[in-house]
Amino acid sequence: MSAIKKLSPAIKELRFLMCQSGQASSGARQFIQTAYPYLKKHNPDLPVLIREARGTPARAFARFEYGVEKHVELDNLSSADVQTKVTELLNAPSTSS
């Protein structure tokens, strides 16, 4: 979890959407179970929303300052691959969509 420490103040919100039982979302669910405590420990004021709905493809959204929003697809990825994608998302420049 070393990649997910103190995040930039430009990140205003982090949202995860996934299916609560689908195999395609299993990597995302596992990532949330292991990474959420570290993420909140280092970023206690950052809203992290987790939304589960049957049949929803696994995705992560980051909202940056000025309402800029970016997302990555997480379906059918392992937990390690999800961490890589989320790290890329959180390090993405927030100037354009």
Side-chain angles (χ1 to χ4, degrees):
M1 295 305 127
S2 63
I4 301 179
K5 293 268 185 186
K6 183 69 175 156
L7 299 175
S8 165
I11 300 170
K12 301 299 181 188
E13 178 184 88
L14 186 57
R15 288 190 317 271
F16 292 92
L17 284 72
M18 67 195 77
C19 179
Q20 68 267 43
S21 59
Q23 183 61 31
S25 293
S26 64
R29 288 192 306 271
Q30 185 179 8
F31 170 78
I32 292 297
Q33 288 176 340
T34 57
Y36 182 82
Y38 295 100
L39 185 62
K40 287 308 283 184
K41 177 181 179 184
H42 295 288
N43 303 280
D45 297 326
L46 177 69
V48 178
L49 303 137
I50 301 165
R51 301 288 185 250
E52 294 179 316
R54 185 172 306 278
T56 299
R59 294 175 284 183
F61 292 81
R63 187 171 51 83
F64 298 88
E65 3 181 67
Y66 310 112
V68 174
E69 199 165 285
K70 297 188 180 288
H71 80 280
V72 291
E73 301 294 327
L74 305 174
D75 247 4
N76 297 310
L77 296 178
S78 69
S79 180
D81 292 338
V82 169
Q83 179 173 345
T84 300
K85 287 286 219 175
V86 170
T87 301
E88 290 171 7
L89 173 67
L90 297 176
N91 292 326
S94 62
T95 54
S96 63
S97 181

